[in-house]
Every structure is written in C-alpha cells, then in structure tokens.
C-alpha cells in the first residue's frame, strides 16, 4: 500500500541519517530504540516477505534454552549448565548465505542486524561453546546446505538479577523476532517474568511455540486444567513436552523433539509490519516533541540573551578617561577654550605647582592658549588599562549570561548546550576586539592631539558660538547687576560642567565606540546560540525531520 511505501521510505531515511540523529543527543533511550527498530524495518523490507525468519528462545534461567539451541544446531555451540545467567549475550545460529545477504545490505545502510551489539562471527566447531556477552552478538554461521528456514537466537534469561543488571537483553531483542519459543519447566511455567515477553509478543503479533522440559516424570497430562490455561496464556495450540535427556547433552531423534522441529519448520509467516511501525511512530513522536521543546527553549533563551545584553550595556557606566589618560593631558582636554577660565583651573594650577614646582609649565597647562607641541606629543592612552577594562566588562557580561542559562536549567534539559557554549568560548578569538580597540584609540588620539594643538579662546567660540555668546552675556548681566560679588570667578566655573566644544563630542563618540565593541562581543554569545542551535535541533526543512514526521504520523493498518 501507499502508506507502507511512504513509511518504509521514511524509515530508510532515518537509518541513512543515523549519524546526524545521534549527534543531536536526544534522550538516549528513545533515540537508540528508534534507530534500532528503524534498522529492523529496513532489514525486513529489503530482505522481502520470503526472507528467512528470526526465531528466539525465551525463558527463565535453567529451562533448557541452550540445550534446545544446541539440539537445533546439531552440536555444542552455546554453553549449557545450571549457572544463573549462563548465557549473557545473544548467540545467533545463522545460515551463511543469509548472513551474506544481510552484509550486502549493510554496505549501503550501515549496521542493520542488532546494531547496538558488536559482532563476532564463528563457524560451528571453530571455538569452544560460547556464553556470549552483554554487548556482543555472537554469530554462528552454518552452511546453506543445512535447510533451516530461520535464524535461531539463544537469548539470556528473563528472571535473574544478573539479567536485570544487563537491562534484560532478551526483552530488548524480542521485537526482532518473527517467532518466539517460550521455554518453561514445572517450576517456571507460571512464572510472572513471562508476562512482559508474552505481552510484547501479542502486541507484535509474532508466531509462538511453547516447550515444557520434562524433569523425569513418567507422564504429563496435557489436558490438565493448568496446562490448558498455560496454552491460553502463551497463545499456543499445544505445549511441546520434551523428555528428560540422560547420558547426552542434547536432543537428537526423540519423537517429541522431531515433532517440535517439524512445527518450528512449518512456521512461514514473518512478523507483520504494522505493529513494528506503530512502535516506531510512538518513538518518532517523542523525538519530535523533544525537538520542539528544545526549539522553544532556545528561542526563549535567545530573546532573554538579547534583553540581558541590552540591560547590561544600559547599566554600565561610560568608560572613565581618568583610567587611561595622563593627568596633564586630561586636564588640558577638559579645559579647552573658555573652560580655562573656570575657578577649578586655579585650584588645579596651585596643586600642580606644589607637586612639580614648575610655575611656567603649570600655568601653560592650566591657562595657556595653543598648548605647546610637547603636550600634544605626550598624548598617549594606556592601551593595556583600556584592554583590561574592556576584558573585565566582557567577562562579567559573559558570566551573567551563562548564569542565566544555568538558572533556566537549560543545561539539564539540553545536556550539550553548556558544553558546546564552553567549547565555542574556548575557540572564540579573544584578541578580535583588541583590533577594534586599537582603531578607535588611534582615531581618538589623533583628534585630541589636533584639539590640543589648535586650542584658543577664539577656536572654542567657533566650536560652540551660541553657547559661548549665551554664557558671556550671562557674565556681563551678572557683573552689571551684582557688583563686587565676584561672579567673574564663580560663573565661569560652570564651564567645567558644560559640554562645550569639540572635545566633549569626541569623548562621547569614543565612549560610545567602546560600548559598541563590548556590546558586539557580548552579542556574539547570541550568535553562538544560533550556531549551536543547528547542532541541537532539527529544522522543519531538514529531510530527517520530515522522515520523523512521516513516521510519527503512521496511524496503523493491517496488511
């Protein structure tokens, strides 16, 4: 049907995009289960409906799974014994031509057969019997001349503490089976640990057989009420009772064993696709939901980051020039033109005379017209102090933003977010803003040197004639109306606090440029978030997202 074709196509896209999905680090249990089932879907689709079936032996410890497995193989390939959790990893008896067909498919799609397990391949008799390992799938390949219409899997037990410590591998592998053989004995036939595998088998509509290992009783009453209920529970038409083995380690030609093999060989229907697709649909929907949660969280974080940066910049005081300029130069720049007549200059004049003993030099700096070339030449900003101040403000800003991310607990909901931000911070060019600073400082220095060299009362009046005329008018009126009050000393002092002349404009431009450098570098964190976003979420235009959508939208139908 068209729905099946669309679904199988989407599943193939999932498998081909396995690396991309893994890199996004969605909830591991969900994404791993999704990719495992998608691999199973691709394997089934490409092998076709006439493929060899996967049959698994499910049972409690000591119920004879490995004995029956070896009996089907005709030799000891899986280790037997009464030790708890004796088989601790899947052991697969598989036809060599079937394995070759799977390996050919894997050249195109990557690992398809139980991709979560490492793979070991042996021929019967190549080594001693194996017990398998939790993370390893041991493949025992036999010649295609042995006409087994299935691949038989000896699975770990489902009831011991050791099996639970290994996350019940048998239940993890159960969806891969087309048919299930439940192994029971007198003590375990009603064991509650069979409830979960029976439920899964019913859900996936797998074929099933039930084998009761007889522990030496002369006769088993198959019509007994308890066994009738057991047949109903396991969903089988009959219970195969195998005799006690004495003096050998496996079944051979016992009539009961022969009948079991015949019934097993007669299983020809592969497990249907719709139950598998429904499982894939549920997992795909969970991944899509998690992706949307990440998207919403990152969009919100990006907005919060922008607001946080703007608030930080608004609250930061303008850079104080006292930190980066020579006192003499700063005084000269702050008292260009009319400001040299402020009473505060008188105080600065006497302070400098007392400190240096140079009357002429102190007078020239405080009141002189056209400052001499020497002052212009010594105009240099302390670049190291400026860089340290900017670096401190940037570090403080970054820490506040990272603290905001931690406070929002995004690091918990998106585990990779904090680590990738730290990686990007480490890779960020910490010297990049220094290039901008050097350019800004160079322009400011040249402008200020020119202002010092060209300084005069007339130049100051030309700089801001309206304000100068207004202040001079105020002085004249003040002097005329309040004689002997000394306004000629008091009122000019106001010049110190008024933005008169070109230096105030140059200073504000310089301070604004420094703020812009800090702001631009802080906004790089927002840009980093946008860059990281591509590695944390799937956009709706991504082919992988579209494949997930198709899978999640599967409603289910019977073939």
């Amino acid at each position: 049907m068209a729905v099946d074709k669309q679904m199988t196509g989407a599943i193939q896209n999932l498998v081909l995009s396995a690396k991309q999905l893994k890199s996004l680090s969605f909830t591991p249990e969900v994404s791993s289960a999704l990719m495992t089932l998608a691999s199973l879907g691709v394997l089934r689709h490409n092998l076709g409906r006439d493929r060899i079936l996967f049959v698994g032996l499910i049972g409690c410890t000591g119920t004879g799974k490995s004995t029956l497995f070896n009996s089907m193989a005709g030799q000891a390939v899986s280790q037997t014994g009464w030790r708890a959790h004796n088989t601790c990893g899947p052991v697969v008896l598989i036809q060599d031509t079937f394995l070759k067909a799977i390996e050919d498919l894997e050249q195109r799609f990557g690992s398809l057969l139980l991709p979560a397990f490492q793979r070991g391949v042996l021929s019967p008799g190549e080594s001693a019997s194996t017990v398998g390992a939790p993370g390893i799938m041991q493949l025992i390949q036999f010649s295609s001349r042995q006409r087994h219409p299935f691949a038989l899997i000896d699975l770990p037990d489902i009831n011991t503490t050791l099996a639970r410590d290994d996350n019940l591998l048998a239940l993890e592998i159960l969806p891969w089976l087309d048919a299930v053989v439940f192994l029971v004995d007198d003590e375990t036939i009603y064991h509650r640990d069979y409830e979960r595998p029976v439920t899964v088998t019913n859900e996936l509509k797998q074929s099933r057989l039930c084998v009761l290992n007889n522990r030496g009783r002369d006769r088993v009453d198959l019509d007994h009420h308890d066994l009738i209920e057991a047949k109903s529970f396991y969903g089988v038409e009959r219970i195969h009772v195998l005799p006690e083995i004495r003096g050998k380690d496996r079944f051979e030609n016992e009539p009961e064993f022969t009948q079991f093999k015949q019934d097993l060989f007669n299983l020809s229907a592969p497990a249907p696709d719709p139950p598998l697709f429904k499982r894939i649909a549920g997992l795909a929907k969970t991944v899509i939901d998690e992706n949307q949660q990440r998207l919403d969280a990152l969009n919100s974080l990006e907005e919060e980051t922008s607001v946080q940066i703007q608030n930080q910049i608004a609250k930061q005081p303008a850079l104080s020039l006292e930190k980066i300029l020579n006192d003499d130069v700063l005084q000269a720049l702050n008292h260009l033109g009319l400001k040299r007549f402020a009473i505060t200059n008188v105080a600065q004049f006497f302070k400098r005379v007392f400190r240096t003993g140079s009357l002429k030099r102190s007078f020239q700096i405080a009141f002189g017209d056209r400052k001499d070339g020497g002052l212009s030449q010594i105009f240099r900003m302390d670049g190291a102090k400026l860089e340290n101040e900017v670096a401190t403000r940037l570090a403080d800003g970054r820490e506040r933003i990272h603290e905001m991310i931690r406070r929002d607990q995004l690091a918990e909901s998106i585990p990779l977010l904090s680590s990738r931000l730290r990686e990007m911070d480490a890779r960020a060019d910490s010297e990049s803003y220094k290039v901008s600073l050097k350019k800004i400082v160079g322009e400011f220095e040249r402008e200020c040197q020119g202002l010092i060299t060209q300084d005069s009362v007339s130049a100051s009046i030309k700089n801001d004639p309206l304000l100068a005329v207004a202040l001079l008018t105020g002085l004249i009126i003040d002097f005329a109306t309040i004689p002997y009050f000394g306004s000629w000393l008091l009122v000019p002092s106001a010049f110190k606090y008024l933005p008169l002349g070109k230096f105030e404009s140059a200073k504000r431009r310089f301070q604004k440029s420094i703020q812009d450098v800090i702001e631009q570098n802080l906004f790089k964190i927002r840009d980093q978030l946008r860059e990281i976003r591509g590695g944390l979420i799937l956009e709706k235009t991504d082919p992988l997202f579209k494949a997930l959508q198709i899978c999640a939208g599967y409603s289910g139908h019977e073939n």
Side-chain angles (χ1 to χ4, degrees), residues 56-58 65-66 69-70 77-80 83-93 114 116-120 129-140 152-158 160 162-173:
L57 306 180
I58 295 284
K65 298 185 300 300
S66 296
F69 183 85
N70 290 339
V77 289
S78 186
Q79 192 174 108
T80 60
R83 186 169 64 91
H85 199 50
N86 194 37
T87 301
C88 51
V91 181
V92 184
L93 185 66
L114 293 170
F117 292 85
Q118 296 181 29
R119 188 177 301 180
S129 56
T130 181
V131 296
I136 299 175
M137 170 181 55
Q138 190 64 63
L139 297 172
I140 311 295
L152 189 64
I153 306 177
D154 187 13
L155 293 166
D157 67 81
I158 57 174
T160 63
L162 293 172
R164 291 187 179 92
D165 290 342
D166 291 336
N167 299 315
L168 290 175
L169 293 180
L171 299 185
E172 181 182 326
I173 297 171

Side-chain angles (χ1 to χ4, degrees), residues 43 262 348 360:
L43 190 65
Q262 185 62 47
Q348 292 295 332
K360 180 178 179 182

Side-chain angles (χ1 to χ4, degrees), residues 76-375:
V77 289
S78 186
Q79 192 174 108
T80 60
W82 285 95
R83 186 169 64 91
H85 199 50
N86 194 37
T87 301
C88 51
V91 181
V92 184
L93 185 66
I94 190 168
Q95 194 179 92
D96 52 7
T97 54
F98 185 43
L99 180 59
K100 179 62 168 59
I102 293 174
E103 290 173 341
D104 288 344
L105 280 176
E106 290 177 333
Q107 293 294 320
R108 175 184 173 192
F109 292 101
S111 182
L112 291 178
L113 178 60
L114 293 170
F117 292 85
Q118 296 181 29
R119 188 177 301 180
V121 182
L122 297 172
S123 298
E126 192 171 286
S127 68
S129 56
T130 181
V131 296
I136 299 175
M137 170 181 55
Q138 190 64 63
L139 297 172
I140 311 295
Q141 60 176 339
F142 61 90
S143 171
S144 57
R145 291 191 297 272
Q146 296 174 256
R147 301 293 296 174
H148 282 195
F150 50 77
L152 189 64
I153 306 177
D154 187 13
L155 293 166
D157 67 81
I158 57 174
N159 65 312
T160 63
T161 301
L162 293 172
R164 291 187 179 92
D165 290 342
D166 291 336
N167 299 315
L168 290 175
L169 293 180
L171 299 185
E172 181 182 326
I173 297 171
L174 190 54
W176 285 77
L177 306 180
D178 296 289
V180 177
V181 179
F182 291 104
L183 271 293
V184 298
D185 57 24
D186 292 343
E187 296 178 359
T188 62
I189 190 168
Y190 306 113
H191 202 292
R192 64 182 303 172
D193 283 312
Y194 284 98
E195 292 176 358
R196 281 184 62 190
V198 167
T199 299
V200 174
T201 301
N202 289 334
E203 174 196 339
L204 297 176
K205 294 181 171 53
Q206 295 163 324
S207 301
R208 68 207 76 175
L209 297 175
C210 182
V211 172
L212 171 63
N213 268 308
N214 184 12
R215 300 301 183 190
R217 291 190 301 174
D218 293 335
R219 179 175 177 275
V220 176
D221 184 4
L222 295 177
D223 294 325
H224 191 279
H225 179 265
D226 288 345
L227 289 185
I228 292 174
E229 285 191 355
K231 286 193 292 184
S232 175
F233 173 72
Y234 290 107
V236 297
E237 294 181 358
R238 63 175 295 180
I239 293 180
H240 294 80
V241 182
L242 298 183
E244 183 181 18
I245 299 178
R246 295 179 182 179
K248 54 183 181 179
D249 57 6
R250 60 181 180 270
F251 299 104
E252 293 177 347
N253 298 313
E254 292 80 359
E256 297 89 345
F257 177 61
T258 302
Q259 182 61 55
F260 165 74
K261 284 200 301 182
Q262 185 62 47
D263 289 349
L264 184 60
F265 285 10
N266 287 338
L267 296 177
S268 59
D273 289 334
L276 173 66
F277 289 171
K278 287 180 182 178
R279 280 201 164 198
I280 292 174
L283 293 168
K285 187 178 185 306
T286 301
V287 171
I288 288 176
D289 290 344
E290 184 176 352
N291 187 70
Q292 186 60 48
Q293 290 170 4
R294 287 188 179 189
L295 178 60
D296 294 341
L298 288 171
N299 285 340
S300 176
L301 179 60
E302 192 175 313
E303 292 176 8
E304 290 177 20
T305 300
S306 297
V307 172
Q308 175 83 352
I309 292 171
Q310 290 165 355
N311 289 340
Q312 286 187 49
I313 295 299
K315 291 177 181 177
Q316 278 184 354
L319 181 71
S320 173
L321 296 189
E322 282 80 359
K323 293 184 178 181
I324 56 175
L325 276 179
N326 177 282
D327 289 344
D328 290 345
V329 174
L330 185 61
Q331 184 183 348
L333 288 169
N334 277 329
H335 297 81
L336 291 174
L338 295 176
K339 288 187 179 183
R340 71 170 51 88
F341 298 111
I343 193 173
T344 50
N345 272 29
V346 178
Q348 292 295 332
F349 166 70
F350 284 113
K351 284 181 181 179
R352 197 176 192 288
V353 170
F354 179 76
R355 189 173 72 250
T356 65
S358 174
L359 185 66
K360 180 178 179 182
R361 181 66 171 164
S362 298
F363 185 87
Q364 177 64 33
I365 290 174
F367 304 108
D369 253 357
R370 300 184 182 278
K371 306 299 183 193
D372 61 18
L375 189 60

Side-chain angles (χ1 to χ4, degrees), residues 530-547:
R530 290 175 177 172
E531 183 178 341
I532 289 172
R533 168 177 165 154
L536 293 175
I537 66 167
L538 285 169
E539 299 292 351
K540 292 183 178 179
T541 55
D542 193 301
L544 176 55
F545 182 85
K546 293 179 179 179

